[in-house]
Amino acid sequence: MVLKITGLASAICTQRVLTLLHEKDITDFEIIPISLADMKGPAYLKLHPFGKIPVLDDDGYILYESRAICKYLAKKYAGQGTKLLPADEDLKGYGLFEKACSLESSYFNHPASEIADLKLFKPAYGAGQPDEVVVAKQVADLEKVLIVYDGILATQQYLAGDELTLADLFHLSYGTVVKDLGYSDIFDKLPNVKRWFDSLQERESWKKVPSTVKFIEGLSGKH
Ligand SMILES: N[C@@H](CCC(=O)N[C@@H](CS)C(=O)NCC(=O)O)C(=O)O
């Protein structure tokens, strides 16, 4: 049965799911594009009451929220591709994994998504150029998060320990947008963060995912 994912390959949250699909060597999937208007229409709101992408349809089992979709698929396809989750019997590993996932959603996601919104999405959709003081505050907030990450990554390879997990991959889409928007120095000047993030961006799974910045700037005629 083909997995159906309503989403856009250029959209941040769909990219989380795409990266997971590539890591797990899942090829039986279909991306079903949707317009912004249809996302807010009654039919789609039955699938995703917040009217966002992505939504997974696995043979009638409907799931939304990109991180939940990734965790579900990583467990469903546990026997293939990169492991990405702690073993079922590894209780402490599970705690460390959930903690690392929480670091991304609680501390990293907000400033990184604000930078993307202010510098990329809002200007592309007609909101004009942002107040650079507001942008600088978000960049400074993200930098503080990365400084803490650098300390964590001084003694381990990845955020949940020495093995790559979904928690690391969840950083890729917004992290790459922030770097592509010209803020790579906040990653690159921290040696452990640089090693960690470069290694994520070098993964074959991520190389297959299209660049959001190029796509959006293409829409607004910058390329
Ligand atoms: N926490 C949600 C966020 C979903 C989300 O905000 N998706 C964006 C695209 S990355 C979207 O649908 N934007 C259109 C809108 O907000 O109207 C997830 O991870 O799936």
Side-chain angles (χ1 to χ4, degrees), residues 10-11 55 62 77 90 94 119 148 152 163 168 174 194 220:
S10 57
V55 169
I62 304 296
Y77 294 90
D90 181 4
Y94 170 74
K119 293 288 288 185
V148 178
I152 296 170
E163 278 188 43
D168 303 293
Y174 272 130
K194 176 172 169 46
S220 49

Side-chain angles (χ1 to χ4, degrees), residues 11-14 16 36 39-40 48 50-54 64-67 69 174:
I12 297 284
C13 307
T14 307
R16 279 198 196 102
L36 204 54
M39 263 184 239
K40 312 301 174 194
H48 194 321
F50 292 93
K52 307 264 185 194
I53 50 171
Y64 61 87
E65 284 302 307
S66 61
R67 296 167 184 84
I69 295 170
Y174 272 130

Side-chain angles (χ1 to χ4, degrees), residues 3-21 24 26 31 44 47-57 61-75 84-85 97-98 101 104-105 108-109 113 165-174 206 209:
L3 299 170
K4 294 190 180 125
I5 295 128
T6 305
L8 299 168
S10 57
I12 297 284
C13 307
T14 307
Q15 292 187 345
R16 279 198 196 102
V17 177
L18 275 176
T19 311
L20 176 278
L21 292 165
K24 297 305 282 179
I26 300 166
I31 300 286
Y44 189 73
L47 301 179
H48 194 321
F50 292 93
K52 307 264 185 194
I53 50 171
V55 169
L56 169 73
D57 177 350
Y61 171 69
I62 304 296
L63 193 62
Y64 61 87
E65 284 302 307
S66 61
R67 296 167 184 84
I69 295 170
C70 290
K71 289 179 182 178
Y72 165 77
L73 291 175
K75 225 169 173 43
L84 298 175
L85 292 174
F97 166 67
E98 282 298 340
C101 289
E104 186 271 330
S105 60
F108 180 90
N109 186 69
S113 60
T165 67
L166 280 175
D168 303 293
L169 298 179
F170 288 166
H171 292 76
L172 264 168
S173 36
Y174 272 130
W206 182 245
V209 173

